[in-house]
Amino acid sequence: MLGSSINLILPPPISSSPFLSLSRLSLPSLPAAGLLKASSRKLVSATKARSVPAMAAGGGNVPSVKWQLGKLFEVSIRTVVPDVNVEPVVVPSAGRFGDYQCNNAMDIWSKIKGKGTAFNNPRSVGEAIRGNLPQSEIIENCTVAGPGFVNIELSNNWMAKSLQKMLIDGIETWAPQLQIKRAIVDFSSPNIAKEMHVGHLRSTIIGDTLARMLEYSNVEVLRRNHVGDWGTQFGMLIQFLFEKFPDVDDVNKMEIGDLQDFYKQSKKRFDEDPAFKERAQAAVVSLQGGTPKYREAWLQICDVSRREFQMVYERLGTQLEEKGESFYNPYIPGVLKKLTDQGLIVESEGARVIHLEGFNIPLIVVKSNGSYNYASTDLAALWYRLNEEKAEWIIYVTDVGQQQHFSMFFKAATLSGWLPVDGSYPKVSHVGFGLVLGEDGKRFRTRSSDVVRLVDLLDEAKSRSKTSLVERGKGEDWSEDELEQTAVAVGYGAVKYADLKNNRLTNYTFDFDQMLNDKGNTAVYLLYMHARICSIIRKSGQDIDELKRTGEIVLGHAGERDLALHLLKFSETVEEACTNLLPSVLCEYLYNLSEIFSGKFYSECKVIGVAEETSRLLLCEATGIVMRKCFHLLGIEAVYKM
């Protein structure tokens, strides 16, 4: 079973934490390079003088291929058009036009056209960019196509050496270097006394993957579980608890299902019994005033819910630190006073609101009855995260239905001066996601129309996975522990991958048969491919660690080169997925990697018993390492045999 932990933090005395200032990516200084005048040539020789280094200095991390090429083109563009301020645009190429492409020529031409330069069209700009590239061991050949597209063919020798260096130094050296040092990912966030539903499953899976990718990129991530543990409903629950359980300690014996029913009963009583409603409202005052009896009852109710939440987190292998709504409640009055003093909060029909340009409704921060709401809590939480926790990027993972709320409160924070107007750091992002649908195309529920318990859903995936393994004869070949561990990895991994491979903004259909299929873009297929790679290495009888130290990779076949090129795109792919907050980008990379390995490399390049065995085993090992890191970032446990 996957490990997990959750830490609870109760409302604290106000305190501060050490400030981590924004640290921009430190770029290496680039030596002056001799300009290459030839109209057509190959770029080789890493040892020649005045060449641009292929790796950034410091930290031990190797910049992505895209980054390294970008620095080369930056030098060339500054030489060709020193008075034009443009950033290099380097992208992977498609098809036969090299490996990467620089697409700056047309943009530069639009800026200099008619200004008396020596250039007469975009292609001439592209030719000049190509001709002024510094020498580098990275590039084998460089040509210009169409209206100035500069196509780059990477050096086979450099690609092989880059892979060998990763095999020796570890894939951590391929981690992207982002512009921030500390981020908060606010995800999962279930409500106390209510079941976690599939919406919480999506938030938990997506949020965990975003946190993992940022952590891999050397960002300190504060994983926050903003549970709904405060508000007027707790007066209702506590008062009903006192009347049903005179001895509050008995609540420990309740299961979450009982608490769910308990919530429904208390709500019905609240709506139908005016006297009970009055007592419940008085209980809220006692709770918020810190009366020990009421606070103890509140803690008991929260603990019952947490036990159920933890069962889900343990299965998903998710780590969270709980700071619920109650944690930020003491900060609300001070935060609202600051906003009032700035003139942002005004009275409106008995409520206190912030008027925001572009919205036809105000942001209500204090309701007409004087109570706080989501906006007041979220503003207090944001203030705390910026000023006490010194977060540079705060990411909220909720369903798309909450988009307007986040847009409004983000704008209020910007008006207050907490956030820069230009979108620079510190910044906030709402990561919205669509619905989980059943096979009937409607919101996913049980046949009785109840919300599905997540524990039951995950256990069903594991059970089906185990049944499939037994039907394939693994029950006879494997120990019970091996069978159970593989079923856990495959079952839970299948649920996660089925969610993550989709663009998070879209709805997706929850279908056990599809997600547990061993063909197509599924976790089962990918885990099988990884196990197959491990099997190839085992069957060779070679000591792979010894081969890493003594062997050499040679890219002599097109399939070998295609595989190496895709492996080297790993770092920039993780960076893209982090920057755009899209786990599906990493899923697409992983699936394409498995397809290239099986369709272009393994089907065309025999591995064992050939002269190229050592090189090809090292390519297998590099592929396995990258796949395992992808699995880890997606929260999926790798399996080594299936």
Side-chain angles (χ1 to χ4, degrees), residues 497-511:
Y497 190 80
D499 188 322
L500 295 169
K501 73 177 182 180
N502 300 287
N503 184 313
R504 56 176 168 75
L505 293 172
T506 63
N507 299 336
Y508 90 95
T509 300
F510 193 98
D511 184 341

Side-chain angles (χ1 to χ4, degrees), residues 617-630:
L617 283 172
L618 290 174
L619 284 172
C620 288
E621 176 68 3
T623 304
I625 289 172
V626 171
M627 289 190 78
R628 286 192 287 278
K629 180 54 67 174
C630 287

